[in-house]
Structures are given as C-alpha cells and as structure tokens.
Amino acid sequence: MKKQNIVSWFLAGLVLVLCFACQELPTDDGVRDNPNDQEYGGENPDTLQNNPPQEPFYPNPEHEASNIATSTTFSWQCYDQDEGDELSYTVHLGTAENNLDMVGQGISEQLFKPENLETSRTYYWKILAMDDHGGETQGDTWSFTTAEAGQQPPAAPSNPSPEDGAVNVPVDDITFSWSCSHPDELELVYSFYVGGYPNVDSLYEAFTDTTVTSLFFSEAVLPFETTYYWKIIAKDENNRTTEGPIWSFTSEADHSGNHAPNEPSNPNPSDGARDVSLNPRLSWHCEDPDDDPLVYDIYCGTSQNPPLMVS
C-alpha cells in the first residue's frame, strides 16, 4: 500500500510537469489565419505548407539488440507537427541491410508483429511514415539478432488495459493489466513503468519483479484530460528480458468546471529546424476548451530546460 501511495502521488504530480511540455519552440512555413494561432517576433511567413512526419524513433527491439524472441512485436514512435494529420506506416524487413522486403503496408498503429523469424539470425528493419497529405519520412535502418534455439526470452507483453490510445479513462480506481507468455513456459516477473512523456528515459519504474499481470490503484486519482504512457518489461528465471511497447491512454474530461488550455502545437520554427534566422518569428497554435482568453509564457534558450524569455 505504501508503494501504491507513492505511485498515486507520482501520477498526480505529472500534470505539473506536462505544463512545460512546449518550452522548446520549434516550425513550419504556415501563416497565422486562425485566432488561436499565436506569434512572437520575426517576420510573417507567406505560405502554408504541409510538414512531413517526423523521422520514426525509439525502435523496439532496440537497434543492435541481441537475444530477441522470435515472437517479438515491433514498435516505434512517430509524430507529425501538423495537428490533425493521420499517419500510416510501411514496414521493411530482411536479413540483408540493403535488400529489405516490404512486409507491412498501410499500418495505422505503431505496432507490427513479423512472421516466421528464425533463431540465431540478424535482421534489419525500417519504417516509412506517411501522412494523409502525401508527406513521408523514412526512418533509419535498425537491426537485431534473435536468440538461439532453447534460449528464447519472454514474448513481448501485449493486450494492455487500458487499451493503447484509450480516451475517457476514469481518473480514480485505475487498473493496469497485460498478457505475457514464455516459449519455454518459464516463470515470469514484471517491471511496471509509467510517466507523462512517450520516451523510455522519462518513464518511472513503479513496480519491480511483480509476479502478477494486473495492478489496481485504489487510491490513485489522476488529473483530468491528461495523457499517460506506460510499459512492461518481462523477465524469466534466467534473467532474460523482453521490453514491451510504450502504450498510452488519456484520462476523462472534467465536466464540473473550468478546463485547462489544450497543449500548444504546430510550432514555427519546426522542431529540430536548422539554419533558422537570427530574428525568427515564433508562432504556435493553442485553443481553450472553454473558449477562455489565453496568455502565454515563452521559454527560450540553448538547454533542454530553457529560461523564461517573455511572460
């Protein structure tokens, strides 16, 4: 119960961290033609362009990973800075880095289960991300090596609850559950990670080496309309591990009062932009669910936690 209380406080505190998610003000070449679009400094761009998806990242299996189960499921992360764009993916896989076969096309999820992987083989794979306006971005080529016969690690955790991408999840009495098995029917334990950002380094290890596949938090009360990310790492009795994909869910809306502004989006300059003018016009898009007037704090600097520039 003590550990559940710690997790409850951690989950509630994540909303404070999420308030600073858009401190880095990265760009497209779009004009501001919406009252919810905002600008600061620089000169007005005069054209509206579609931005292609970001390059796929955070592959699972990790690049150059070894002892991977032949039952593994691929996962990756990818985003599009143009709010509302729908993404689809093509998966390429093979045993020769420069001769990959297309094994999946038109995939809407960031998950793919390859078939007929062999033991003790090195495989190469990559993802092509496409938006619904014709923009596309090809990711790096990643590799992994499968485990020897009789030395297989656990299968990847699957069947998450809340479901991946679920919305309107109740903010209290939260239950997390998943499924997992082992090809050699070995006993498994699990580590449970949760956090407010979809990258591995930001997830908090809330439970370690638990034998159950369901965790109930009766005292946890999540903030409303907040997206959370979580994953499971399975470990067998020979200390072989398999990391599951990062799943997400969004808590329900608060229908009793004021709502927080939506997360700022569509930054200009774009995230990761290079050769930007020394006098850029910073712009972004933001709306309030209650149509309340908004004011903004702008943080800018050369570190990942930049100082306040304008308030």
Side-chain angles (χ1 to χ4, degrees), residues 158-161 175-181 188-190 210-216 230 232:
S158 60
N159 299 322
S161 180
T175 298
F176 295 91
S177 65
W178 61 93
S179 300
C180 195
S181 62
L188 298 175
V189 295
Y190 307 96
T210 178
T211 58
V212 299
T213 57
S214 180
L215 297 171
F216 175 63
W230 63 292
I232 300 296

Side-chain angles (χ1 to χ4, degrees), residues 71-92:
S71 59
T72 190
T73 296
F74 294 166
S75 67
W76 58 92
Q77 296 287 318
C78 189
Y79 299 95
D80 194 304
Q81 68 184 30
D82 295 332
E83 186 176 4
D85 281 7
E86 296 184 2
L87 299 183
S88 62
Y89 306 95
T90 298
V91 181
H92 297 263

